[in-house]
Amino acid sequence: MQHHPIQGFLRADGRKGVRNVVLVAYLVECAHHVARRIVSAIDDPDVQLAGFPGCYPNSYAAQMMAAIATHPNVGGVLVISLGCEGFDRQTLAAQVAASGRPVETLVIQQTGGTRATIDAGREAVARLRAAAAQAPRVPMAVSELVVGTICGGSDGTSGITANPAVGRCFDMLVAEGATCIFEETGELIGCEQVMAARAVTPELGDEIEACVAKAARYYATLGYGSFAPGNADGGLTTQEEKSLGAYSKSGASPISGLIRPGERTGGPGLYLMDVVPDGEVRFGFPNISDNAEIVEMIASGCHLILFTTGRGSVVGSAVSPVIKVCANPETYARLAEDMDVDAGRILHGKATLDEVGTEIFDQVVAVAAGAQTRSEALGHQEFILTYKQFEPSGPGCLPLAHRAGALT
């Protein structure tokens, strides 16, 4: 199989990025405006905004911000602090510095307010961009890619076209030695036994069944599941039908592990991400938007994301490119400028699942090699991070990693 040559950005830990972003990271909503103005003033697609709006500390948010700020696609970080928030800015900056990336911190209360911090931020970003540009470019194999997938705005066509086509792409990537991550347990209720049967060990199968049961309890407590009004309007009839459609994104490869957001996988293969918080229900709906799930997969190392949609979604993401695969031919006709792949051709007999799966695979490699996605070209850089709580994964969740003795 012929591939586009990929030249990755080599990082100090040996990982390679497919982008070289300078991240402007705010640590509380009170610093959001200043950080956004810095990014807007520079107006460069490789200078991007991310942040945590909350004021009181949360270990999940801290781990997620550290994972995002040291992602292979990130070449440097400017930390924007108000000065009195609960987030530990010194620790975050130290984590970025320890990763070998350039980092600077501005504290609004110390710098002189809005205008002074924006001016100082523009100067800091110029220095960070110059430093990030020194990252060496090295050959990168398809086997080194980490690819995630989510579905959003699903309809009756999603489980027939786009989702199983992504599953075919995932099987091709796994066969090449790449790492693939699918989610979310709240939309896989009813599929737990089928997934458990695909687990590489019985212990992992038990963990998969337990995490889906946790999701079912969580949603039952909330009194609201993941089945949205738009799903029904789009022709989906039950939660089970939606779950089966979402499940088909995973393909047919063995499931190598179960990870929580921000955890990295134990090696190549297919992984399920558990996005439902542990413990009692305390933080509300597990993911308040599709972008929350995108951020969680990026925090676990995804170089890019495959986003399937039937009703239509126009979002992208900061840090990692998003490839949108449209399930419905009518939606594609209306929103073609926002879509990368027209999987709805399958419904009209103009392409097979295997052909569209191969097209998605080719898009993955092309984007990794530097081609822009539609969302990148349109300037989409959405980012959202909220409060959650997770316990570290146990040995049954990552059997291959623990057998090897460490996470990659």
Side-chain angles (χ1 to χ4, degrees):
M1 187 178 296
Q2 295 295 317
H3 296 148
H4 297 263
I6 305 173
Q7 290 289 309
F9 296 90
L10 181 62
R11 307 304 179 192
D13 64 1
R15 293 192 294 169
K16 300 170 187 175
V18 302
R19 296 294 187 268
N20 197 29
V21 171
V22 169
L23 200 64
V24 179
Y26 61 92
L27 305 186
V28 66
E29 186 62 24
C30 306
H32 187 170
H33 173 76
V34 169
R36 185 177 65 248
R37 288 292 300 273
I38 292 169
V39 173
S40 298
I42 295 165
D43 192 23
D44 185 292
D46 288 331
V47 178
Q48 300 185 5
L49 179 69
F52 176 59
C55 189
Y56 65 87
N58 176 251
S59 60
Y60 160 81
Q63 292 164 7
M64 290 286 287
M65 284 294 290
I68 292 291
T70 58
H71 188 279
N73 289 352
V74 173
V77 180
L78 173 60
V79 176
I80 304 295
S81 164
L82 175 62
C84 56
E85 68 275 357
F87 204 107
D88 184 347
R89 62 179 180 270
Q90 291 91 351
T91 294
L92 178 62
Q95 289 168 323
V96 176
S99 77
R101 290 165 176 78
V103 58
E104 296 194 28
T105 301
L106 292 175
V107 181
I108 297 170
Q109 292 170 346
Q110 298 173 8
T111 304
T114 298
R115 197 182 308 276
T117 308
I118 293 170
D119 291 342
R122 295 175 65 178
E123 295 173 359
V125 168
R127 292 189 294 271
L128 291 165
R129 291 173 72 191
Q134 303 305 309
R137 302 297 299 273
V138 295
M140 184 175 181
V142 172
S143 61
E144 297 177 88
L145 291 175
V146 184
V147 181
T149 186
I150 78 161
C151 47
S154 300
D155 69 5
T157 68
S158 297
I160 302 171
T161 61
N163 289 356
V166 165
R168 303 295 172 92
C169 171
F170 262 26
D171 289 340
M172 295 171 66
L173 286 165
V174 171
E176 291 270 338
T179 301
C180 295
I181 302 173
F182 73 107
E183 50 68 56
E184 70 175 278
T185 45
E187 290 189 354
L188 293 169
I189 295 169
C191 300
E192 57 270 28
Q193 293 181 349
V194 181
M195 291 189 292
R198 292 170 58 190
V200 295
T201 66
E203 293 79 13
L204 174 59
D206 292 342
E207 293 282 1
I208 290 172
E209 292 198 43
C211 82
V212 177
K214 177 187 68 173
R217 291 193 301 272
Y218 200 100
Y219 285 113
T221 302
L222 287 175
Y224 185 82
S226 67
F227 194 92
N231 298 144
D233 290 343
L236 287 171
T237 59
T238 63
Q239 177 67 58
E240 290 79 6
E241 185 181 11
K242 184 179 181 183
S243 292
L244 286 169
Y247 167 75
S248 67
K249 300 196 306 299
S250 67
S253 303
I255 299 176
S256 297
L258 172 69
I259 62 173
R260 271 79 173 181
E263 292 180 339
R264 293 187 354 225
T265 62
L270 177 68
Y271 293 80
L272 171 63
M273 176 173 283
D274 176 9
V275 300
V276 176
D278 291 331
E280 297 299 319
V281 177
R282 66 185 71 180
F283 297 117
F285 198 68
N287 277 319
I288 61 175
S289 73
D290 294 325
N291 278 94
E293 296 167 19
I294 291 175
V295 166
E296 290 175 334
M297 285 191 290
I298 292 172
S300 287
C302 287
H303 292 98
L304 51 88
I305 304 295
L306 301 175
F307 189 131
T308 67
T309 183
R311 297 297 301 275
S313 176
V314 300
V315 301
S317 179
V319 178
S320 295
V322 173
I323 297 173
K324 289 199 288 298
V325 182
C326 188
N328 190 318
E330 295 178 0
T331 302
Y332 185 85
R334 290 193 304 271
L335 299 175
E337 186 182 12
D338 285 274
M339 302 297 156
D340 297 279
V341 178
D342 177 13
R345 304 188 333 266
I346 296 167
L347 287 182
H348 291 160
K350 296 179 180 178
T352 66
L353 278 172
D354 285 334
E355 288 170 342
V356 175
T358 300
E359 180 182 346
I360 298 168
F361 177 91
D362 290 341
Q363 285 262 10
V364 167
V365 180
V367 170
Q372 276 196 324
T373 66
R374 295 295 180 90
S375 61
E376 285 183 296
L378 291 167
H380 284 281
Q381 297 178 2
E382 289 86 347
F383 187 95
I384 184 169
L385 179 59
T386 57
Y387 288 96
K388 282 189 178 183
Q389 166 115 17
F390 288 96
E391 300 298 326
S393 293
C397 293
L398 290 162
L400 301 181
H402 288 283
R403 198 172 296 161
L407 296 180
T408 60

